[in-house]
Amino acid sequence: LLLALQVRLVMKAHSFIRENVPRVQSSIKDKSGTVHIPRISQYLYFLFAPTLIYRDNYPRNPTIRWGYVATKFAQVLGSLFYAYYIFVRLCIPQFHNSSQETFNLRGLVLCIFNSILPGVLILFLVFFAFLHCWLNAFAEMLRFADRMFYK
């Protein structure tokens, strides 16, 4: 989780620098008196907005739909409880039984194959909870209106 957060911050810092350095360099070359430097509020908004492309201004919704935000956070909590249920019912009994037996290759292969389906389910839950629910909730709280970019 910490590594993913660091990668996201490095990618956002790269985008911020890549967008602003050419503007500053061109204003220095032109010897114009005004150098456009982004405000700290623009940078902070960019850090929390669900985008990796820096712009000075993003399209914004006029209001926040708090019911939508609550629904998305409830879906995150539901995903966490469902992941816990998958671990308790499908993963832990499998490895608990294998820890009491002597080690053999057949047992290891059976444990791995019996863990593939729960692992895929957990992977889907993580993608749904974070990429869909969590980021959409923060986009709504920040009034970020550019969520239909690919449409």
Side-chain angles (χ1 to χ4, degrees):
L1 185 63
L2 194 60
L3 183 61
L5 181 64
Q6 288 176 340
V7 167
R8 181 183 72 91
L9 288 175
V10 166
M11 288 170 38
K12 284 189 176 252
H14 174 75
S15 176
F16 179 77
I17 290 169
R18 188 171 173 94
E19 288 292 323
N20 288 307
V21 166
R23 283 194 279 178
V24 171
Q25 286 178 342
S26 66
S27 65
I28 290 173
K29 284 181 185 177
D30 296 341
K31 296 189 187 324
S32 62
T34 60
V35 177
H36 179 71
I37 298 174
R39 296 187 315 265
I40 192 74
S41 62
Q42 291 171 327
Y43 181 68
L44 285 175
Y45 183 84
F46 169 64
L47 283 181
F48 291 102
T51 182
L52 293 175
I53 301 170
Y54 177 79
R55 298 287 180 254
D56 288 334
N57 295 311
Y58 294 97
R60 308 277 303 265
N61 287 332
T63 59
I64 298 173
R65 299 176 294 170
W66 289 107
Y68 182 80
V69 173
T71 302
K72 292 301 171 191
F73 281 133
Q75 288 175 351
V76 169
L77 284 175
S79 297
L80 289 175
F81 283 123
Y82 189 49
Y84 173 74
Y85 179 79
I86 289 172
F87 270 117
V88 167
R89 294 292 178 187
L90 299 175
C91 294
I92 293 175
Q94 183 67 33
F95 289 103
H96 181 68
N97 293 337
S98 68
S99 67
Q100 295 176 359
E101 299 173 1
T102 58
F103 177 75
N104 58 13
L105 187 60
R106 181 181 179 275
L108 178 66
V109 170
L110 282 175
C111 272
I112 290 172
F113 279 117
N114 287 335
S115 298
I116 289 174
L117 181 63
V120 169
L121 286 173
I122 299 254
L123 185 66
F124 285 149
L125 281 172
V126 166
F127 282 124
F128 173 74
F130 179 71
L131 294 176
H132 179 70
C133 298
W134 188 265
L135 291 179
N136 273 328
F138 271 93
E140 187 65 34
M141 286 189 296
L142 292 172
R143 297 184 301 132
F144 188 75
D146 199 17
R147 285 177 276 162
M148 302 304 264
F149 180 75
Y150 293 106
K151 220 171 187 180

